[in-house]
Protein backbone atom coordinates (compact mmCIF):
# COMPACT_ATOMS: atom_id res chain seq x y z
CA UNK A 1 0.00 0.00 0.00
CA UNK A 2 1.42 3.38 -1.01
CA UNK A 3 1.84 6.13 1.54
CA UNK A 4 0.99 9.68 0.47
CA UNK A 5 2.83 12.30 2.51
CA UNK A 6 0.83 15.47 3.04
CA UNK A 7 2.16 18.79 4.39
CA UNK A 8 -0.56 20.76 6.18
CA UNK A 9 -0.27 24.41 7.26
CA UNK A 10 -0.41 24.77 11.05
CA UNK A 11 -3.08 27.18 12.25
CA UNK A 12 -6.48 28.41 11.19
CA UNK A 13 -6.24 27.37 7.54
CA UNK A 14 -4.95 23.91 8.50
CA UNK A 15 -7.91 23.35 10.79
CA UNK A 16 -10.33 24.30 8.03
CA UNK A 17 -8.54 21.96 5.64
CA UNK A 18 -8.73 19.09 8.14
CA UNK A 19 -12.49 19.58 8.39
CA UNK A 20 -12.64 19.47 4.61
CA UNK A 21 -10.67 16.18 4.62
CA UNK A 22 -13.13 14.86 7.22
CA UNK A 23 -16.17 15.85 5.14
CA UNK A 24 -14.58 14.22 2.08
CA UNK A 25 -14.22 10.83 3.78
CA UNK A 26 -10.53 11.31 4.56
CA UNK A 27 -10.78 11.93 8.30
CA UNK A 28 -7.65 11.45 10.39
CA UNK A 29 -8.41 10.53 14.01
CA UNK A 30 -6.91 12.84 16.61
CA UNK A 31 -5.41 15.36 14.20
CA UNK A 32 -7.37 18.31 15.58
CA UNK A 33 -6.99 17.39 19.22
CA UNK A 34 -4.79 19.67 21.31
CA UNK A 35 -1.21 18.44 21.66
CA UNK A 36 2.27 18.75 20.19
CA UNK A 37 2.17 15.69 17.93
CA UNK A 38 3.25 16.59 14.40
CA UNK A 39 2.60 13.43 12.34
CA UNK A 40 -0.64 11.47 11.89
CA UNK A 41 -1.23 8.37 9.80
CA UNK A 42 -4.22 6.46 8.59
CA UNK A 43 -4.71 3.60 6.12
CA UNK A 44 -7.58 3.74 3.67
CA UNK A 45 -7.90 0.07 2.67
CA UNK A 46 -10.76 0.76 0.22
CA UNK A 47 -8.66 3.34 -1.62
CA UNK A 48 -5.47 1.30 -1.34
CA UNK A 49 -3.34 4.07 0.14
CA UNK A 50 -2.36 5.46 3.48
CA UNK A 51 -2.16 9.15 4.35
CA UNK A 52 0.66 10.50 6.46
CA UNK A 53 -0.16 14.08 7.37
CA UNK A 54 2.21 16.43 9.11
CA UNK A 55 1.89 19.96 10.44
CA UNK A 56 4.42 22.52 9.19
CA UNK A 57 4.61 26.31 9.31
CA UNK A 58 2.37 27.65 6.51
CA UNK A 59 5.30 29.40 4.81
CA UNK A 60 7.23 26.10 4.70
CA UNK A 61 4.59 23.97 2.94
CA UNK A 62 5.97 24.67 -0.58
CA UNK A 63 9.50 23.77 0.58
CA UNK A 64 8.42 20.30 1.78
CA UNK A 65 6.51 19.71 -1.44
CA UNK A 66 9.06 21.10 -3.89
CA UNK A 67 11.84 19.00 -2.36
CA UNK A 68 9.69 15.86 -2.20
CA UNK A 69 9.56 15.46 1.60
CA UNK A 70 5.81 15.75 1.03
CA UNK A 71 4.04 14.37 -2.06
CA UNK A 72 1.31 16.95 -1.75
CA UNK A 73 0.53 19.91 0.47
CA UNK A 74 -2.07 22.52 1.16
CA UNK A 75 -0.81 26.06 0.81
CA UNK A 76 -2.37 29.50 0.83
CA UNK A 77 -2.05 31.12 -2.61
CA UNK A 78 -0.22 34.15 -1.16
CA UNK A 79 2.63 31.88 -0.08
CA UNK A 80 2.76 30.32 -3.56
CA UNK A 81 2.87 33.76 -5.17
CA UNK A 82 5.60 34.84 -2.79
CA UNK A 83 7.81 31.73 -2.99
CA UNK A 84 7.05 30.65 -6.57
CA UNK A 85 7.87 26.98 -5.93
CA UNK A 86 8.36 24.56 -8.83
CA UNK A 87 5.29 22.40 -8.04
CA UNK A 88 1.95 21.55 -9.63
CA UNK A 89 -1.02 23.55 -8.37
CA UNK A 90 -3.84 21.03 -8.78
CA UNK A 91 -6.90 22.22 -6.90
CA UNK A 92 -8.48 25.37 -5.49
CA UNK A 93 -10.00 24.28 -2.17
CA UNK A 94 -12.17 27.43 -2.12
CA UNK A 95 -11.47 28.01 1.54
CA UNK A 96 -9.38 30.70 3.19
CA UNK A 97 -10.69 33.15 0.60
CA UNK A 98 -9.18 36.65 0.82
CA UNK A 99 -7.25 39.15 -1.31
CA UNK A 100 -3.72 40.51 -1.53
CA UNK A 101 -4.25 44.25 -1.52
CA UNK A 102 -2.51 47.58 -1.36
CA UNK A 103 -3.84 49.71 1.49
CA UNK A 104 -3.06 53.15 2.87
CA UNK A 105 -4.35 55.71 5.34
CA UNK A 106 -7.74 57.21 4.50
CA UNK A 107 -6.13 60.56 3.50
CA UNK A 108 -3.25 59.09 1.45
CA UNK A 109 -2.55 60.69 -1.92
CA UNK A 110 0.15 59.16 -4.10
CA UNK A 111 2.99 61.34 -5.32
CA UNK A 112 4.48 59.69 -8.40
CA UNK A 113 7.62 61.80 -8.28
CA UNK A 114 8.69 60.13 -5.02
CA UNK A 115 9.80 56.59 -4.24
CA UNK A 116 6.89 54.78 -2.62
CA UNK A 117 7.63 53.16 0.74
CA UNK A 118 5.87 49.78 0.90
CA UNK A 119 5.66 47.77 4.11
CA UNK A 120 4.86 44.08 3.65
CA UNK A 121 5.41 40.48 4.65
CA UNK A 122 5.41 39.66 0.91
CA UNK A 123 8.38 41.45 -0.70
CA UNK A 124 8.36 39.36 -3.86
CA UNK A 125 4.67 39.95 -4.54
CA UNK A 126 5.07 43.69 -3.86
CA UNK A 127 8.21 43.98 -6.02
CA UNK A 128 6.54 42.25 -8.98
CA UNK A 129 3.36 44.24 -8.69
CA UNK A 130 5.11 47.61 -8.68
CA UNK A 131 7.60 46.53 -11.35
CA UNK A 132 4.57 45.84 -13.54
CA UNK A 133 3.43 49.42 -12.93
CA UNK A 134 6.92 50.81 -13.49
CA UNK A 135 6.83 52.40 -10.03
CA UNK A 136 9.97 52.86 -7.90
CA UNK A 137 9.53 51.46 -4.43
CA UNK A 138 11.41 50.99 -1.22
CA UNK A 139 10.36 47.72 0.44
CA UNK A 140 10.16 47.52 4.21
CA UNK A 141 9.94 43.85 5.24
CA UNK A 142 7.93 43.16 8.37
CA UNK A 143 6.76 39.99 10.09
CA UNK A 144 3.18 40.99 10.90
CA UNK A 145 1.05 43.90 12.14
CA UNK A 146 2.05 45.73 8.95
CA UNK A 147 -1.01 47.97 9.38
CA UNK A 148 1.06 49.91 11.90
CA UNK A 149 3.58 51.04 9.29
CA UNK A 150 1.58 53.82 7.60
CA UNK A 151 0.20 54.99 10.96
CA UNK A 152 3.73 55.48 12.30
CA UNK A 153 4.97 56.90 8.98
CA UNK A 154 7.28 53.94 8.50
CA UNK A 155 5.69 53.45 5.06
CA UNK A 156 3.28 55.10 2.63
CA UNK A 157 1.31 51.95 1.83
CA UNK A 158 1.14 48.29 2.82
CA UNK A 159 0.77 45.18 0.71
CA UNK A 160 -1.10 42.67 2.82
CA UNK A 161 -3.86 40.11 3.10
CA UNK A 162 -7.39 41.42 3.54
CA UNK A 163 -10.08 39.00 4.61
CA UNK A 164 -12.99 40.76 6.32
CA UNK A 165 -11.42 44.23 6.14
CA UNK A 166 -11.79 44.63 9.91
CA UNK A 167 -8.10 45.22 10.63
CA UNK A 168 -7.96 47.98 8.01
CA UNK A 169 -11.18 49.62 9.18
CA UNK A 170 -10.18 49.60 12.84
CA UNK A 171 -6.90 51.29 11.95
CA UNK A 172 -8.30 53.93 9.56
CA UNK A 173 -6.83 52.35 6.47
CA UNK A 174 -8.47 51.61 3.13
CA UNK A 175 -7.80 49.38 0.15
CA UNK A 176 -6.42 51.26 -2.84
CA UNK A 177 -5.81 48.32 -5.18
CA UNK A 178 -6.34 44.58 -5.29
CA UNK A 179 -3.35 42.57 -6.46
CA UNK A 180 -4.67 38.99 -6.38
CA UNK A 181 -7.48 36.76 -5.17
CA UNK A 182 -6.28 34.19 -2.67
CA UNK A 183 -7.48 30.83 -1.32
CA UNK A 184 -6.05 27.49 -0.23
CA UNK A 185 -4.54 25.38 -3.03
CA UNK A 186 -3.54 21.73 -3.21
CA UNK A 187 -0.02 21.46 -4.61
CA UNK A 188 1.97 18.39 -5.63
CA UNK A 189 5.61 17.51 -6.04
CA UNK A 190 6.22 17.05 -9.78
CA UNK A 191 7.81 13.60 -9.69
CA UNK A 192 5.53 12.34 -6.90
CA UNK A 193 2.59 13.22 -9.13
CA UNK A 194 4.10 11.13 -11.91
CA UNK A 195 4.52 8.06 -9.71
CA UNK A 196 1.46 8.41 -7.48
CA UNK A 197 -0.96 9.90 -10.02
CA UNK A 198 -3.86 7.61 -9.20
CA UNK A 199 -3.65 8.11 -5.44
CA UNK A 200 -3.26 11.88 -5.72
CA UNK A 201 -6.12 12.10 -8.23
CA UNK A 202 -8.26 10.03 -5.85
CA UNK A 203 -7.59 12.48 -3.05
CA UNK A 204 -8.40 15.42 -5.33
CA UNK A 205 -11.61 13.73 -6.47
CA UNK A 206 -12.72 13.27 -2.87
CA UNK A 207 -11.86 16.83 -1.86
CA UNK A 208 -13.75 18.18 -4.87
CA UNK A 209 -17.06 16.51 -3.98
C1 LIG B 1 -3.80 38.84 8.52
C2 LIG B 1 -3.38 40.05 7.68
C3 LIG B 1 -4.21 41.15 8.26
C4 LIG B 1 -5.47 40.44 8.72
C5 LIG B 1 -6.57 40.69 7.74
O1 LIG B 1 -3.09 38.88 9.69
O2 LIG B 1 -1.99 40.28 7.78
O3 LIG B 1 -3.56 41.77 9.33
O4 LIG B 1 -5.19 39.03 8.74
O5 LIG B 1 -7.78 40.12 8.16
P1 LIG B 1 -9.12 40.97 8.22
O6 LIG B 1 -9.29 41.66 6.92
O7 LIG B 1 -10.20 39.91 8.44
O8 LIG B 1 -9.02 41.91 9.38
P2 LIG B 1 -2.97 37.65 10.67
O9 LIG B 1 -4.17 37.59 11.58
O10 LIG B 1 -2.75 36.40 9.88
O11 LIG B 1 -1.70 38.04 11.56
P3 LIG B 1 -0.35 38.83 11.18
O12 LIG B 1 -0.66 40.29 11.38
O13 LIG B 1 0.62 38.33 12.17
O14 LIG B 1 0.03 38.52 9.75
Amino acid sequence: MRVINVALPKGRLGERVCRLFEKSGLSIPGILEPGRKLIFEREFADLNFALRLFWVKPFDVPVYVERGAADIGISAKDILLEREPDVYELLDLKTGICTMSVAALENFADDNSRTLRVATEFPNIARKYYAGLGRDIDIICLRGSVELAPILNLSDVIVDIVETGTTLRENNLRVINNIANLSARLIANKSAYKFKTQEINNIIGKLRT
Side-chain angles (χ1 to χ4, degrees), residues 81-106:
L81 292 172
E82 180 62 24
R83 296 199 84 137
E84 302 186 278
D86 186 18
V87 297
Y88 293 131
E89 191 183 307
L90 298 176
L91 180 66
D92 183 345
L93 292 171
K94 309 256 168 72
T95 186
I97 294 172
C98 45
T99 59
M100 182 63 67
S101 302
V102 182
L105 286 173
E106 290 289 353

PDB file of all heavy atoms in Angstrom, residues 81-106:
ATOM      1  N   LEU A  81       2.480  32.588  -4.382  1.00  0.00           N
ATOM      2  CA  LEU A  81       2.872  33.765  -5.174  1.00  0.00           C
ATOM      3  C   LEU A  81       4.188  34.339  -4.662  1.00  0.00           C
ATOM      4  O   LEU A  81       5.017  34.821  -5.440  1.00  0.00           O
ATOM      5  CB  LEU A  81       1.787  34.849  -5.104  1.00  0.00           C
ATOM      6  CG  LEU A  81       0.459  34.535  -5.796  1.00  0.00           C
ATOM      7  CD1 LEU A  81      -0.575  35.607  -5.481  1.00  0.00           C
ATOM      8  CD2 LEU A  81       0.651  34.413  -7.305  1.00  0.00           C
ATOM      9  N   GLU A  82       4.392  34.273  -3.370  1.00  0.00           N
ATOM     10  CA  GLU A  82       5.602  34.842  -2.786  1.00  0.00           C
ATOM     11  C   GLU A  82       6.820  33.951  -3.062  1.00  0.00           C
ATOM     12  O   GLU A  82       7.879  34.441  -3.427  1.00  0.00           O
ATOM     13  CB  GLU A  82       5.403  35.029  -1.271  1.00  0.00           C
ATOM     14  CG  GLU A  82       6.585  35.619  -0.541  1.00  0.00           C
ATOM     15  CD  GLU A  82       6.953  37.031  -1.014  1.00  0.00           C
ATOM     16  OE1 GLU A  82       6.103  37.742  -1.553  1.00  0.00           O
ATOM     17  OE2 GLU A  82       8.141  37.404  -0.837  1.00  0.00           O
ATOM     18  N   ARG A  83       6.655  32.629  -2.896  1.00  0.00           N
ATOM     19  CA  ARG A  83       7.811  31.730  -2.991  1.00  0.00           C
ATOM     20  C   ARG A  83       8.047  31.181  -4.397  1.00  0.00           C
ATOM     21  O   ARG A  83       9.139  30.741  -4.707  1.00  0.00           O
ATOM     22  CB  ARG A  83       7.644  30.548  -2.030  1.00  0.00           C
ATOM     23  CG  ARG A  83       7.620  30.955  -0.577  1.00  0.00           C
ATOM     24  CD  ARG A  83       7.929  29.784   0.320  1.00  0.00           C
ATOM     25  NE  ARG A  83       9.364  29.604   0.442  1.00  0.00           N
ATOM     26  CZ  ARG A  83      10.002  29.336   1.582  1.00  0.00           C
ATOM     27  NH1 ARG A  83       9.336  29.189   2.691  1.00  0.00           N
ATOM     28  NH2 ARG A  83      11.291  29.184   1.617  1.00  0.00           N
ATOM     29  N   GLU A  84       6.986  31.183  -5.204  1.00  0.00           N
ATOM     30  CA  GLU A  84       7.054  30.649  -6.574  1.00  0.00           C
ATOM     31  C   GLU A  84       7.738  29.288  -6.642  1.00  0.00           C
ATOM     32  O   GLU A  84       8.722  29.116  -7.368  1.00  0.00           O
ATOM     33  CB  GLU A  84       7.766  31.649  -7.490  1.00  0.00           C
ATOM     34  CG  GLU A  84       7.074  32.991  -7.520  1.00  0.00           C
ATOM     35  CD  GLU A  84       7.693  33.927  -8.540  1.00  0.00           C
ATOM     36  OE1 GLU A  84       8.724  34.560  -8.224  1.00  0.00           O
ATOM     37  OE2 GLU A  84       7.163  34.010  -9.642  1.00  0.00           O
ATOM     38  N   PRO A  85       7.235  28.299  -5.908  1.00  0.00           N
ATOM     39  CA  PRO A  85       7.866  26.979  -5.925  1.00  0.00           C
ATOM     40  C   PRO A  85       7.603  26.263  -7.258  1.00  0.00           C
ATOM     41  O   PRO A  85       6.596  26.534  -7.925  1.00  0.00           O
ATOM     42  CB  PRO A  85       7.164  26.234  -4.787  1.00  0.00           C
ATOM     43  CG  PRO A  85       5.804  26.867  -4.723  1.00  0.00           C
ATOM     44  CD  PRO A  85       6.022  28.317  -5.061  1.00  0.00           C
ATOM     45  N   ASP A  86       8.508  25.342  -7.605  1.00  0.00           N
ATOM     46  CA  ASP A  86       8.357  24.556  -8.828  1.00  0.00           C
ATOM     47  C   ASP A  86       7.529  23.306  -8.498  1.00  0.00           C
ATOM     48  O   ASP A  86       8.073  22.223  -8.278  1.00  0.00           O
ATOM     49  CB  ASP A  86       9.764  24.185  -9.337  1.00  0.00           C
ATOM     50  CG  ASP A  86       9.707  23.498 -10.682  1.00  0.00           C
ATOM     51  OD1 ASP A  86       8.664  23.605 -11.363  1.00  0.00           O
ATOM     52  OD2 ASP A  86      10.693  22.820 -11.039  1.00  0.00           O
ATOM     53  N   VAL A  87       6.211  23.495  -8.396  1.00  0.00           N
ATOM     54  CA  VAL A  87       5.290  22.401  -8.039  1.00  0.00           C
ATOM     55  C   VAL A  87       4.069  22.504  -8.941  1.00  0.00           C
ATOM     56  O   VAL A  87       3.888  23.521  -9.617  1.00  0.00           O
ATOM     57  CB  VAL A  87       4.829  22.520  -6.554  1.00  0.00           C
ATOM     58  CG1 VAL A  87       5.996  22.386  -5.600  1.00  0.00           C
ATOM     59  CG2 VAL A  87       4.076  23.834  -6.308  1.00  0.00           C
ATOM     60  N   TYR A  88       3.238  21.454  -8.930  1.00  0.00           N
ATOM     61  CA  TYR A  88       1.951  21.553  -9.629  1.00  0.00           C
ATOM     62  C   TYR A  88       0.912  22.107  -8.664  1.00  0.00           C
ATOM     63  O   TYR A  88       0.841  21.658  -7.521  1.00  0.00           O
ATOM     64  CB  TYR A  88       1.469  20.192 -10.117  1.00  0.00           C
ATOM     65  CG  TYR A  88       2.312  19.567 -11.200  1.00  0.00           C
ATOM     66  CD1 TYR A  88       2.741  18.247 -11.093  1.00  0.00           C
ATOM     67  CD2 TYR A  88       2.651  20.278 -12.341  1.00  0.00           C
ATOM     68  CE1 TYR A  88       3.502  17.648 -12.084  1.00  0.00           C
ATOM     69  CE2 TYR A  88       3.413  19.690 -13.343  1.00  0.00           C
ATOM     70  CZ  TYR A  88       3.834  18.378 -13.206  1.00  0.00           C
ATOM     71  OH  TYR A  88       4.590  17.802 -14.186  1.00  0.00           O
ATOM     72  N   GLU A  89       0.110  23.062  -9.166  1.00  0.00           N
ATOM     73  CA  GLU A  89      -1.023  23.545  -8.366  1.00  0.00           C
ATOM     74  C   GLU A  89      -2.242  22.854  -8.956  1.00  0.00           C
ATOM     75  O   GLU A  89      -2.625  23.116 -10.092  1.00  0.00           O
ATOM     76  CB  GLU A  89      -1.108  25.066  -8.519  1.00  0.00           C
ATOM     77  CG  GLU A  89      -2.067  25.701  -7.548  1.00  0.00           C
ATOM     78  CD  GLU A  89      -2.172  27.205  -7.769  1.00  0.00           C
ATOM     79  OE1 GLU A  89      -1.149  27.902  -7.784  1.00  0.00           O
ATOM     80  OE2 GLU A  89      -3.322  27.652  -7.939  1.00  0.00           O
ATOM     81  N   LEU A  90      -2.838  21.915  -8.184  1.00  0.00           N
ATOM     82  CA  LEU A  90      -3.837  21.034  -8.782  1.00  0.00           C
ATOM     83  C   LEU A  90      -5.285  21.354  -8.431  1.00  0.00           C
ATOM     84  O   LEU A  90      -6.189  20.945  -9.156  1.00  0.00           O
ATOM     85  CB  LEU A  90      -3.544  19.579  -8.387  1.00  0.00           C
ATOM     86  CG  LEU A  90      -2.194  19.017  -8.857  1.00  0.00           C
ATOM     87  CD1 LEU A  90      -1.987  17.605  -8.315  1.00  0.00           C
ATOM     88  CD2 LEU A  90      -2.093  19.022 -10.371  1.00  0.00           C
ATOM     89  N   LEU A  91      -5.506  22.009  -7.302  1.00  0.00           N
ATOM     90  CA  LEU A  91      -6.900  22.225  -6.904  1.00  0.00           C
ATOM     91  C   LEU A  91      -7.043  23.470  -6.046  1.00  0.00           C
ATOM     92  O   LEU A  91      -6.239  23.709  -5.149  1.00  0.00           O
ATOM     93  CB  LEU A  91      -7.391  20.995  -6.110  1.00  0.00           C
ATOM     94  CG  LEU A  91      -8.826  21.013  -5.609  1.00  0.00           C
ATOM     95  CD1 LEU A  91      -9.831  20.974  -6.761  1.00  0.00           C
ATOM     96  CD2 LEU A  91      -9.091  19.839  -4.660  1.00  0.00           C
ATOM     97  N   ASP A  92      -8.104  24.235  -6.347  1.00  0.00           N
ATOM     98  CA  ASP A  92      -8.484  25.371  -5.495  1.00  0.00           C
ATOM     99  C   ASP A  92      -9.488  24.830  -4.480  1.00  0.00           C
ATOM    100  O   ASP A  92     -10.565  24.369  -4.853  1.00  0.00           O
ATOM    101  CB  ASP A  92      -9.129  26.463  -6.371  1.00  0.00           C
ATOM    102  CG  ASP A  92      -9.496  27.705  -5.579  1.00  0.00           C
ATOM    103  OD1 ASP A  92      -9.522  27.635  -4.329  1.00  0.00           O
ATOM    104  OD2 ASP A  92      -9.754  28.740  -6.214  1.00  0.00           O
ATOM    105  N   LEU A  93      -9.122  24.861  -3.203  1.00  0.00           N
ATOM    106  CA  LEU A  93      -9.998  24.283  -2.174  1.00  0.00           C
ATOM    107  C   LEU A  93     -11.121  25.243  -1.771  1.00  0.00           C
ATOM    108  O   LEU A  93     -11.966  24.899  -0.945  1.00  0.00           O
ATOM    109  CB  LEU A  93      -9.186  23.881  -0.945  1.00  0.00           C
ATOM    110  CG  LEU A  93      -8.224  22.708  -1.176  1.00  0.00           C
ATOM    111  CD1 LEU A  93      -7.302  22.520   0.007  1.00  0.00           C
ATOM    112  CD2 LEU A  93      -8.980  21.424  -1.443  1.00  0.00           C
ATOM    113  N   LYS A  94     -11.091  26.451  -2.339  1.00  0.00           N
ATOM    114  CA  LYS A  94     -12.173  27.432  -2.120  1.00  0.00           C
ATOM    115  C   LYS A  94     -12.418  27.711  -0.634  1.00  0.00           C
ATOM    116  O   LYS A  94     -13.538  27.999  -0.224  1.00  0.00           O
ATOM    117  CB  LYS A  94     -13.477  26.959  -2.790  1.00  0.00           C
ATOM    118  CG  LYS A  94     -13.310  26.567  -4.247  1.00  0.00           C
ATOM    119  CD  LYS A  94     -13.865  27.644  -5.162  1.00  0.00           C
ATOM    120  CE  LYS A  94     -13.468  27.428  -6.596  1.00  0.00           C
ATOM    121  NZ  LYS A  94     -14.117  26.328  -7.272  1.00  0.00           N
ATOM    122  N   THR A  95     -11.379  27.620   0.143  1.00  0.00           N
ATOM    123  CA  THR A  95     -11.473  28.009   1.543  1.00  0.00           C
ATOM    124  C   THR A  95     -10.322  28.965   1.829  1.00  0.00           C
ATOM    125  O   THR A  95      -9.362  29.018   1.052  1.00  0.00           O
ATOM    126  CB  THR A  95     -11.458  26.768   2.467  1.00  0.00           C
ATOM    127  OG1 THR A  95     -11.681  27.196   3.804  1.00  0.00           O
ATOM    128  CG2 THR A  95     -10.161  25.998   2.406  1.00  0.00           C
ATOM    129  N   GLY A  96     -10.426  29.712   2.914  1.00  0.00           N
ATOM    130  CA  GLY A  96      -9.384  30.702   3.194  1.00  0.00           C
ATOM    131  C   GLY A  96      -9.387  31.799   2.134  1.00  0.00           C
ATOM    132  O   GLY A  96      -8.344  32.297   1.729  1.00  0.00           O
ATOM    133  N   ILE A  97     -10.584  32.165   1.691  1.00  0.00           N
ATOM    134  CA  ILE A  97     -10.694  33.152   0.600  1.00  0.00           C
ATOM    135  C   ILE A  97     -10.424  34.575   1.112  1.00  0.00           C
ATOM    136  O   ILE A  97     -11.006  35.000   2.108  1.00  0.00           O
ATOM    137  CB  ILE A  97     -12.088  33.064  -0.062  1.00  0.00           C
ATOM    138  CG1 ILE A  97     -12.209  31.692  -0.756  1.00  0.00           C
ATOM    139  CG2 ILE A  97     -12.320  34.208  -1.047  1.00  0.00           C
ATOM    140  CD1 ILE A  97     -13.574  31.376  -1.285  1.00  0.00           C
ATOM    141  N   CYS A  98      -9.505  35.266   0.465  1.00  0.00           N
ATOM    142  CA  CYS A  98      -9.177  36.650   0.822  1.00  0.00           C
ATOM    143  C   CYS A  98      -8.454  37.300  -0.376  1.00  0.00           C
ATOM    144  O   CYS A  98      -8.377  36.682  -1.445  1.00  0.00           O
ATOM    145  CB  CYS A  98      -8.320  36.692   2.082  1.00  0.00           C
ATOM    146  SG  CYS A  98      -6.973  35.519   2.113  1.00  0.00           S
ATOM    147  N   THR A  99      -7.969  38.514  -0.200  1.00  0.00           N
ATOM    148  CA  THR A  99      -7.253  39.153  -1.311  1.00  0.00           C
ATOM    149  C   THR A  99      -5.901  39.678  -0.835  1.00  0.00           C
ATOM    150  O   THR A  99      -5.714  39.951   0.352  1.00  0.00           O
ATOM    151  CB  THR A  99      -8.035  40.366  -1.886  1.00  0.00           C
ATOM    152  OG1 THR A  99      -8.234  41.301  -0.843  1.00  0.00           O
ATOM    153  CG2 THR A  99      -9.361  39.977  -2.479  1.00  0.00           C
ATOM    154  N   MET A 100      -4.983  39.812  -1.780  1.00  0.00           N
ATOM    155  CA  MET A 100      -3.725  40.515  -1.526  1.00  0.00           C
ATOM    156  C   MET A 100      -3.974  41.918  -2.031  1.00  0.00           C
ATOM    157  O   MET A 100      -4.314  42.110  -3.209  1.00  0.00           O
ATOM    158  CB  MET A 100      -2.595  39.835  -2.306  1.00  0.00           C
ATOM    159  CG  MET A 100      -1.235  40.449  -2.084  1.00  0.00           C
ATOM    160  SD  MET A 100      -0.657  40.334  -0.392  1.00  0.00           S
ATOM    161  CE  MET A 100      -0.412  38.590  -0.177  1.00  0.00           C
ATOM    162  N   SER A 101      -3.856  42.881  -1.142  1.00  0.00           N
ATOM    163  CA  SER A 101      -4.245  44.245  -1.516  1.00  0.00           C
ATOM    164  C   SER A 101      -3.204  45.273  -1.100  1.00  0.00           C
ATOM    165  O   SER A 101      -2.406  45.025  -0.201  1.00  0.00           O
ATOM    166  CB  SER A 101      -5.576  44.609  -0.852  1.00  0.00           C
ATOM    167  OG  SER A 101      -6.573  43.689  -1.228  1.00  0.00           O
ATOM    168  N   VAL A 102      -3.277  46.413  -1.785  1.00  0.00           N
ATOM    169  CA  VAL A 102      -2.508  47.577  -1.359  1.00  0.00           C
ATOM    170  C   VAL A 102      -3.458  48.424  -0.526  1.00  0.00           C
ATOM    171  O   VAL A 102      -4.603  48.661  -0.932  1.00  0.00           O
ATOM    172  CB  VAL A 102      -2.040  48.418  -2.572  1.00  0.00           C
ATOM    173  CG1 VAL A 102      -1.200  49.596  -2.101  1.00  0.00           C
ATOM    174  CG2 VAL A 102      -1.263  47.554  -3.564  1.00  0.00           C
ATOM    175  N   ALA A 103      -2.990  48.853   0.647  1.00  0.00           N
ATOM    176  CA  ALA A 103      -3.836  49.710   1.491  1.00  0.00           C
ATOM    177  C   ALA A 103      -3.015  50.880   2.004  1.00  0.00           C
ATOM    178  O   ALA A 103      -1.778  50.809   2.065  1.00  0.00           O
ATOM    179  CB  ALA A 103      -4.417  48.905   2.645  1.00  0.00           C
ATOM    180  N   ALA A 104      -3.725  51.939   2.350  1.00  0.00           N
ATOM    181  CA  ALA A 104      -3.060  53.149   2.866  1.00  0.00           C
ATOM    182  C   ALA A 104      -4.008  53.869   3.816  1.00  0.00           C
ATOM    183  O   ALA A 104      -5.184  53.497   3.924  1.00  0.00           O
ATOM    184  CB  ALA A 104      -2.694  54.065   1.701  1.00  0.00           C
ATOM    185  N   LEU A 105      -3.502  54.897   4.462  1.00  0.00           N
ATOM    186  CA  LEU A 105      -4.346  55.709   5.343  1.00  0.00           C
ATOM    187  C   LEU A 105      -5.450  56.369   4.526  1.00  0.00           C
ATOM    188  O   LEU A 105      -5.261  56.647   3.326  1.00  0.00           O
ATOM    189  CB  LEU A 105      -3.501  56.806   6.018  1.00  0.00           C
ATOM    190  CG  LEU A 105      -2.552  56.351   7.144  1.00  0.00           C
ATOM    191  CD1 LEU A 105      -1.681  57.511   7.594  1.00  0.00           C
ATOM    192  CD2 LEU A 105      -3.331  55.775   8.326  1.00  0.00           C
ATOM    193  N   GLU A 106      -6.578  56.610   5.166  1.00  0.00           N
ATOM    194  CA  GLU A 106      -7.737  57.215   4.496  1.00  0.00           C
ATOM    195  C   GLU A 106      -7.349  58.424   3.646  1.00  0.00           C
ATOM    196  O   GLU A 106      -7.833  58.598   2.545  1.00  0.00           O
ATOM    197  CB  GLU A 106      -8.768  57.668   5.551  1.00  0.00           C
ATOM    198  CG  GLU A 106      -9.476  56.520   6.267  1.00  0.00           C
ATOM    199  CD  GLU A 106     -10.461  55.777   5.378  1.00  0.00           C
ATOM    200  OE1 GLU A 106     -10.694  56.232   4.247  1.00  0.00           O
ATOM    201  OE2 GLU A 106     -10.966  54.720   5.818  1.00  0.00           O
TER     202      GLU A 106
END
